[in-house]
Structure formats: C-alpha cells, structure tokens
Amino acid sequence: MSPALTPPPTIISPQPPPVRRIRFDRNELAGAFGDLGTDLPLLIGVIAASGVDSAGLLIVFGLLQMFSGLWYGMPMPVQPLKAFAALVIAQKIPGRIIFGGGLAIGLSMLVLSVTGLIDALARLIPKPVVRGIQFGLALQLSTLALKEYVPADGPPGYALAAAAFTVTVLLLGNRRWPASLLVILLGIIYALVFKLDLATAQQALGLHLPTWHLPQRADILTGAVLLALPQIPLSLGNSILATRQVIHDHYPEKQVTVRQISFTYGLMNVVAPFFGCFPVCHGSGGMVGHYAFGARTGGSVVLYGLLFLVLGLFFSQGFADIVQIFPLPILGVLLLFEALTLATLLRDLTSSKADLTVALLVGVLCSGLPYGYLVGLVVGTAAYYAMRRGWVGLGR
C-alpha cells in the first residue's frame, strides 16, 4: 500500500504594508510649507482690505486644513478663494459681504454635488482644458514669484533667493534632507538677523477666539453677485476638475470623484462664514506644492493647519506685522517651484499636437485676461470639440 501523499506546503506571500493615511515625519513637515507662498499674501491682503477679524479667519482656516487632511488622507490643502480675494483687496469689500458670498458659493457647490450636476460638467470638460487651467495657474504663480516676491528685499533678497533656489534644486525630492525645511530655516535665520522686532512680537501675543457671524439675506445676495459668480469658473476648473486630475496623477489607487471634492468644498463654506473665516476651496496648485516638497499623506495638511491655528489663537492681534518679518524672496522660491511642477504636468499631452495646442491656448487665456478662467474654460472646450469633429485641423 503506497504511503499517503502529503500536500505541498502552502506558500503565503507577504502582504504589502497598508498605506498610511496620516503620517508625521520630516517629509510631511517639509511638504506642509509647499502652499505657504500662495496663502499668506492673500490672507494678509484680505485682512488689511476688509477689516475682518484675523483671529476667526486664521483659527477656522487652520481647522479646515486639518479637516481636509484627515478626511482625504492625502496632501489636500485648503486655500483662500483667489478670485474672491482679488476682488476684496481691489474693492475693499467689507466682511459681511464676504461672508454672505462665501455662504452663497458653499450652497452652490453643495447643490452641484448632491444633484450630480458636477459630474455632467466634469464629463463635458476635456483633459487638455484641465491641463491648460493648471498651466495658466503656473504662469500666474511664476509671474508673481519673479516680479513681486523675489525682488522684494533688493540685492540681499536676490542673494537669499539665489541661495534658496540652489538648495531646492540640489535637494528637491530628497527624502532624507527635504528641501523646503532647509529653505524655511534659511528664511528664519535671515529674518532673525535682519528683520526681527521683539516689541512687535510681544504686542501681538495673547489669546483670541473666533466670533459668531450671521450672514443676512441682503449680504448673501450681494456676495453671490459680486464675489461668487466671478469665482465659480476658477473653482470649477482648478479647485475641482484640476484637483481631481492631480489626485489621479499621484494617487491612481484612490477613487476620489469630483462630486466628493465639490461636497467638501461646499461643506467648508457653509460652516466657515458663521465663524468669520474667509471662503476657501481645494486647489490643484496647493496639492502639487505639498507633494513636490515631500508630502505623501494628510499629515502635511494637518501640520499646516496647526501652524495657522497657533497663529490665530496666540498671535492674531499682530498677524500682519509678524508675517512681514519672514522674507518674501523665500516665499517666491517656494511659489516658483510650485509653478514649475504645475507646468510640467503638460508633458502627458506632448504626443498629441491638438491637445497640447488646446492646453497652451487655455493657459494663456487664463493667465492673461480678465475673467480668464471663464474665457479659457469656454474657448478651450469649444476648440477641443471643434478639432475632434474636424472643423479645425491641426493634426495629431
């Protein structure tokens, strides 16, 4: 009788470690500064122009960052609405109109999300137009960095920017020595040596909390017309569609939809106005900035939010004066690399002459015209479908 056959041993392949949604390490900390050059100047300008309470704005802005990082588990930061901010700064629009407009755009985004209309818009707008919107934002950010931030401190500022640029080029992508941490440290040393005013810092110190605001119907209607309508095209293109594309580029395993992004966009803005916070959005540029400087999880956004939370709670009284201590040339270098990273996203269109042409056209329109994001969105989408139908021929 033959012996019983023993089955071969079962080989259990090791499972890959689970991907962590939240991590706190030097790379997440480095990535946390990737959007600083965009946010700080806008917040300072809004506070100065509108007179809104800086405590409520900074505290809630920080809490919303932390909410976004925990919700998505990715470097999905929260940004001030750019078209909103530009109009507020230029026209000195008061806080009650700002909060009314924020509530209006928040409700609009919730309706688009809940009804599914945002999905229909996402299907209509093609990828080359989204890439063009990102390219237009890159052109605007690089222009701001090179024309206003880098020259801000004269010859010493140019030298500081050159040193920061060199450090970033040498260390960009280095996980052991994150570039932005060394660049920020360089800026802090410069500020301590040349700009620190201890009296200003001492006067700013003190505990402050947000105050309650109840937007009135007239303010909501006025804010909707003056502020929300000009903002919606930029939000649709950059905050929702382009952000979804960046998530697909860097996190293809995550099934984040435009409806989800639109929902959290709307949710934040139906809460923020009641506590005195400036209206906010997600943004492809901010996410690219965090990712480019090393962030891979929501930890970077939580740390970024913690920075604003501390500033709001303890330093909001003199916020505008304190942040002026930090050298603008350093912010300019961070902003420039965020712009360069956005611009390089065009590389996946280089195989199609028609698609690349549409993207470049949209980028130029977005960056160069009033209401450029609306014009670029409409013209680029029309040009794309005209080429697809053979009405305009460029070849592939």
Side-chain angles (χ1 to χ4, degrees):
M1 189 170 179
S2 60
L5 296 177
T6 57
T10 303
I11 299 175
I12 302 176
S13 58
Q15 295 295 318
V19 178
R20 295 175 62 183
R21 289 170 48 85
I22 302 293
R23 186 173 63 236
F24 299 109
D25 57 25
R26 59 178 175 268
N27 290 289
E28 296 299 311
L29 180 60
F33 297 103
D35 206 22
L36 198 62
T38 305
D39 293 343
L40 270 185
L42 287 178
L43 295 178
I44 294 169
V46 163
I47 290 171
S50 67
V52 297
D53 177 42
S54 56
L57 189 155
L58 295 171
I59 290 169
V60 180
F61 186 73
L63 290 173
L64 293 177
Q65 300 284 351
M66 299 168 81
F67 159 77
S68 183
L70 294 171
W71 179 286
Y72 286 101
M74 295 181 293
M76 174 83 96
V78 173
Q79 301 178 313
L81 293 180
K82 295 181 180 64
F84 249 72
L87 290 168
V88 167
I89 293 169
Q91 301 180 24
K92 299 191 180 336
I93 295 173
R96 57 186 178 81
I97 305 296
I98 295 172
F99 304 142
L103 187 56
I105 201 167
L107 292 171
S108 300
M109 286 298 168
L110 280 182
V111 169
L112 288 174
S113 174
V114 171
T115 61
L117 289 173
I118 193 70
D119 292 322
L121 290 171
R123 288 191 294 269
L124 176 67
I125 300 170
K127 182 178 177 180
V129 174
V130 175
R131 289 293 192 222
I133 290 169
Q134 292 172 316
F135 180 57
L137 182 59
L139 292 176
Q140 288 186 324
L141 294 180
S142 58
T143 300
L144 180 64
L146 294 174
K147 290 186 67 175
E148 296 189 26
Y149 287 11
V150 171
D153 286 359
Y158 282 113
L160 180 64
F165 184 87
T166 303
V167 168
T168 306
V169 168
L170 293 175
L171 295 178
L172 192 65
N174 190 309
R175 304 290 292 176
R176 185 174 182 182
W177 299 100
S180 70
L181 286 186
L182 295 180
V183 168
I184 291 293
L185 179 61
L186 185 63
I188 291 173
I189 294 172
Y190 179 91
L192 291 175
V193 173
F194 296 105
K195 292 191 168 188
L196 180 63
D197 181 359
L198 290 177
T200 300
Q202 289 174 349
Q203 290 173 3
L205 185 61
L207 179 64
H208 300 275
L209 297 172
T211 56
W212 176 260
H213 295 268
L214 183 62
Q216 301 300 308
R217 181 180 178 183
D219 297 331
I220 296 171
L221 293 175
T222 303
V225 174
L226 290 181
L227 298 172
L229 285 178
Q231 176 67 49
I232 286 175
L234 175 57
S235 290
L236 177 63
N238 182 56
S239 303
I240 297 174
L241 298 180
T243 300
R244 193 272 306 267
Q245 184 61 54
V246 170
I247 294 171
H248 179 75
D249 293 338
H250 294 311
Y251 300 92
E253 75 282 0
K254 292 184 179 287
Q255 302 300 315
V256 178
T257 65
V258 291
R259 185 181 287 198
Q260 290 172 312
I261 298 171
S262 177
F263 177 78
T264 53
Y265 179 131
L267 181 63
M268 291 188 296
N269 285 305
V270 297
V271 173
F274 292 98
F275 298 94
C277 183
F278 192 80
V280 297
C281 63
H282 300 297
S284 64
M287 191 168 191
V288 165
H290 278 248
Y291 193 94
F293 285 102
R296 295 296 181 268
T297 78
S300 69
V301 186
V302 173
L303 291 171
Y304 188 52
L306 186 61
L307 168 65
F308 283 97
L309 182 61
V310 171
L311 285 173
L313 284 172
F314 302 109
F315 296 98
S316 58
Q317 187 69 31
F319 170 72
D321 294 326
I322 291 174
V323 295
Q324 294 293 346
I325 296 171
F326 193 81
L328 283 177
I330 291 292
L331 295 181
V333 171
L334 295 176
L335 203 60
L336 180 61
F337 276 91
E338 179 182 335
L340 292 173
T341 306
L342 274 171
T344 60
L345 296 175
L346 286 174
R347 64 182 180 272
D348 64 358
L349 301 181
T350 54
S351 61
S352 170
K353 182 179 178 181
D355 288 351
L356 183 60
T357 300
V358 169
L360 293 174
L361 171 65
V362 171
V364 171
L365 292 175
C366 287
S367 64
L369 292 179
Y371 299 100
Y373 286 89
L374 174 60
V375 176
L377 194 67
V378 173
V379 172
T381 302
Y384 174 85
Y385 287 112
M387 291 178 186
R388 291 287 169 176
R389 287 166 172 73
W391 301 341
V392 178
L394 283 177
R396 303 281 308 166

